[in-house]
Amino acid sequence: KAARAEFSHLIDILEERRAGKETLKPLDKGALAAAYANRGILNDRTGHHRKALKDYRAALRTDPEAVDGPGTIDRVLYGVPRPATIRKRAEYLYKQFRKPEGERVFRRPEADKAERDMWEP
């Protein structure tokens, strides 16, 4: 709850600036995209997949480069040629929501854990 509140607070502050026609600086724009992406990840991991998709889309609309995923050096260092990204997860969720409810798969525990473990130091 605390993490969701912090992400939402940051989003609210930065969205207020943008709504006031204040041009967001690149750093603020990246921070807003990252806050949406991270709140999306939190929603995704806690089973709120529709909210996650909404946040992922907001992150991609705000600053797609800021949430593009690991760069070439990280991919080489960790040996992950095609890591998960916000865009890939958003596309996956979108496809799942187009399926009949009984056919949707949002989690694959073993594969999800393996991917997360790969990035742990």
Side-chain angles (χ1 to χ4, degrees):
K1 288 181 181 180
R4 185 176 285 109
E6 289 296 324
F7 291 135
S8 295
H9 180 67
L10 178 57
I11 289 166
D12 290 344
I13 289 170
L14 293 171
E15 285 291 4
E16 280 180 27
R17 287 185 194 167
R18 189 159 66 173
K21 305 302 182 215
E22 181 179 329
T23 303
L24 290 180
K25 296 177 176 131
L27 188 59
D28 289 341
K29 196 174 170 186
L32 179 57
Y36 273 122
N38 283 309
R39 189 174 70 179
I41 292 167
L42 177 65
N43 283 326
D44 213 350
R45 288 190 180 175
T46 57
H48 298 96
H49 303 294
R50 286 198 189 277
K51 289 180 181 179
L53 179 57
K54 183 178 176 184
D55 282 339
Y56 293 155
R57 285 177 164 170
L60 290 163
R61 276 192 311 272
T62 302
D63 190 350
E65 291 178 12
V67 293
D68 209 19
T72 303
I73 297 205
D74 287 322
R75 291 191 312 258
V76 169
L77 283 175
Y78 291 101
V80 183
R82 296 178 50 207
T85 65
I86 295 300
R87 181 177 308 284
K88 286 180 187 176
R89 183 61 180 170
E91 289 170 355
Y92 181 83
L93 289 176
Y94 176 77
K95 288 176 185 174
Q96 293 305 307
F97 281 121
R98 293 181 55 108
K99 293 179 179 181
E101 197 167 329
E103 295 177 21
R104 298 174 185 167
V105 177
F106 294 110
R107 296 180 182 186
R108 299 174 314 166
E110 295 84 23
D112 296 341
K113 182 179 181 331
E115 177 125 8
R116 281 193 304 274
D117 289 350
M118 175 180 324
W119 295 101
E120 293 296 318

